[in-house]
Amino acid sequence: MSEIAHSAHDMISNMTPVLKPGEFVYISTQDQSLIAQLSVDAISTFREKEGLSLLVPTQAAERAGLAVELPMRCITLNVYSSLEGAGLTAAVATALGANDIPCNMIAACHHDHVFVPAEKCDRAVEVLRALQNQMTNSA
């Protein structure tokens, strides 16, 4: 494994955004049979008081008979960012927001993942690469 980046500068200048294949949708439910059906394909879950939120491939949602209203694409930030590092999420959200691109961030143990509306994914990758280049050149 590569060295873990702790500073905002190191995280952003090394983030190397990569668009992952596939589309995903967020689902929230309390229906235990639907949870069991979708959990097999879920790439992320989070329990909230309103129900279990699941992030699943659009095909899994469609197979379950659910409407697919906002397909998302995943951009993985390929930097090993510290869970104690500050600034990466704020910089990414600010850059995307300035370009009218909504984002949902998911931090995992090794990488951060940015989910953006499918129709804006190419522009989002451009914005993030420009942010990375800007930070790299400011050193």
Side-chain angles (χ1 to χ4, degrees):
M1 177 162 80
S2 298
E3 187 174 323
I4 296 174
H6 293 273
S7 73
H9 182 275
D10 289 346
M11 289 186 288
I12 297 165
S13 63
N14 293 302
M15 68 182 177
T16 313
V18 174
L19 183 64
K20 297 297 191 178
E23 292 186 353
F24 304 89
V25 292
Y26 285 89
I27 305 294
S28 178
T29 186
Q30 293 181 2
D31 180 327
Q32 292 303 310
S33 63
L34 186 57
I35 289 170
Q37 180 181 357
L38 293 175
S39 291
V40 174
D41 294 311
I43 62 168
S44 180
T45 62
F46 196 89
R47 188 162 310 281
E48 300 178 289
K49 68 179 179 178
E50 296 86 355
L52 185 68
S53 290
L54 301 101
L55 184 55
V56 299
T58 55
Q59 300 90 338
E62 290 167 342
R63 279 194 309 270
L66 301 172
V68 174
E69 296 177 12
L70 182 61
M72 308 289 274
R73 294 289 305 271
C74 177
I75 302 168
T76 295
L77 305 180
N78 283 319
V79 60
Y80 290 102
S81 55
S82 169
L83 291 173
E84 297 177 312
L88 179 62
T89 299
V92 166
T94 298
L96 292 174
N99 285 274
D100 198 32
I101 302 172
C103 69
N104 292 280
M105 301 284 296
I106 296 180
C109 286
H110 300 289
H111 302 288
D112 291 275
H113 308 274
V114 186
F115 289 84
V116 299
E119 72 276 2
K120 296 186 177 193
C121 68
D122 292 331
R123 178 69 181 130
V125 171
E126 290 173 7
V127 168
L128 295 178
R129 287 183 180 153
L131 174 64
Q132 179 183 10
N133 289 336
Q134 178 184 7
M135 186 62 73
T136 301
N137 295 330
S138 71

